[in-house]
Amino acid sequence: MSELINEGIIQFSEASASKDPVPGGGGVSALAGSLAASLAEMVTNLTIGKKKFLEYTEELTALKEEADSLRKQLLECIQKDADAFAPLAAAYSLPKDSEGYAEKMEACLRTAAEPPYLIMKLCVRVIEMDERLAVIGSKLAVSDAATSAALARGALYGGYINVTVNTRLMKDREYAAKIDAETKELAETYGRKADQVFEEIQRRLTNG
């Protein structure tokens, strides 16, 4: 076994490949987002101290600290997503004519939509960081900022669809429409921004 491919990685991969509902799209999106934040932090570590970028030391240090926080928060979202899905899975098994079924299901759907929405918000910030690192990151590491943006984009859309799968079943259509509008705006706006970051870095590397 490779030193980098340890039991934890293998177990998560096997669990997500199984028929068990968790970790599913939400948990995998959280992991992808965490890896995106890790790469952003890597860029700061490889840039801080470089003579050409000394004027950005304070900003890069702040970005490094924030990236580390985002990485940890997104890792925590793996468990948050699993915990939020558990009561919904239990509610699905209840008879639809049981007392309080509709209210319980509605509450569970709202709870289940929260972690993927949080994943989206955290990935938005990762993409914003990548946008800045595309400018002030060392050329030797800036390709990792592009990879980070690509991963964060995937995690952003993964969170988005996992919000939608819950809001579509909500009886409170006003609340569902509000969440749908907010998440759609985030996905579209920051999906485009992630693409722009990737393309800008590609141009920077191509043009020298």
Side-chain angles (χ1 to χ4, degrees):
M1 184 185 302
S2 165
E3 292 181 4
L4 291 177
I5 305 176
N6 60 34
E7 285 295 332
I9 293 175
I10 292 171
Q11 289 172 3
F12 187 91
S13 176
E14 290 176 346
S16 62
S18 74
K19 63 181 180 181
D20 293 333
V22 293
V28 170
S29 295
L31 178 59
S34 178
L35 292 171
S38 297
L39 286 173
E41 185 174 0
M42 176 184 178
V43 176
T44 65
N45 279 320
L46 290 171
T47 306
I48 292 172
K50 298 287 185 183
K51 185 177 180 180
K52 184 178 178 181
F53 300 96
L54 287 178
E55 65 182 296
Y56 302 114
T57 298
E58 185 175 344
E59 182 180 1
L60 285 164
T61 300
L63 289 172
K64 168 183 162 64
E65 292 173 356
E66 184 176 4
D68 186 61
S69 175
L70 289 167
R71 176 181 63 81
K72 293 172 182 175
Q73 290 180 71
L74 281 156
L75 279 179
E76 290 171 357
C77 283
I78 297 174
Q79 190 61 52
K80 287 181 178 180
D81 186 72
D83 291 343
F85 180 76
L88 179 60
Y92 276 129
S93 67
L94 295 173
K96 291 186 177 181
D97 59 354
S98 61
E99 184 177 355
Y101 174 83
E103 292 79 6
K104 184 174 292 186
M105 179 61 75
E106 189 77 3
C108 288
L109 288 167
R110 288 196 180 199
T111 297
E114 290 172 0
Y117 195 178
L118 176 58
I119 291 166
M120 292 185 71
K121 290 177 179 177
L122 295 171
C123 286
V124 158
R125 184 55 193 147
V126 174
I127 292 168
E128 289 176 336
M129 293 176 65
D130 289 328
E131 183 179 33
R132 183 58 178 152
L133 290 170
V135 178
I136 66 171
S138 168
K139 189 175 180 180
L140 295 175
V142 78
S143 63
D144 294 299
T147 306
S148 172
L151 278 173
R153 184 188 189 281
L156 177 76
Y157 273 88
Y160 178 39
I161 200 65
N162 279 278
V163 171
T164 303
V165 76
N166 291 295
T167 56
R168 70 187 179 93
L169 297 174
M170 293 177 182
K171 300 300 182 185
D172 186 344
R173 297 314 304 163
E174 183 177 351
Y175 177 83
K178 175 179 177 293
I179 300 302
D180 285 342
E182 291 172 355
T183 53
K184 184 174 187 288
E185 176 66 20
L186 286 179
E188 292 182 349
T189 300
Y190 286 91
R192 286 194 300 269
K193 188 179 291 292
D195 288 339
Q196 289 165 359
V197 169
F198 189 94
E199 291 165 6
E200 176 56 33
I201 291 173
Q202 189 173 42
R203 281 194 295 270
R204 180 179 170 188
L205 293 176
T206 302
N207 297 333

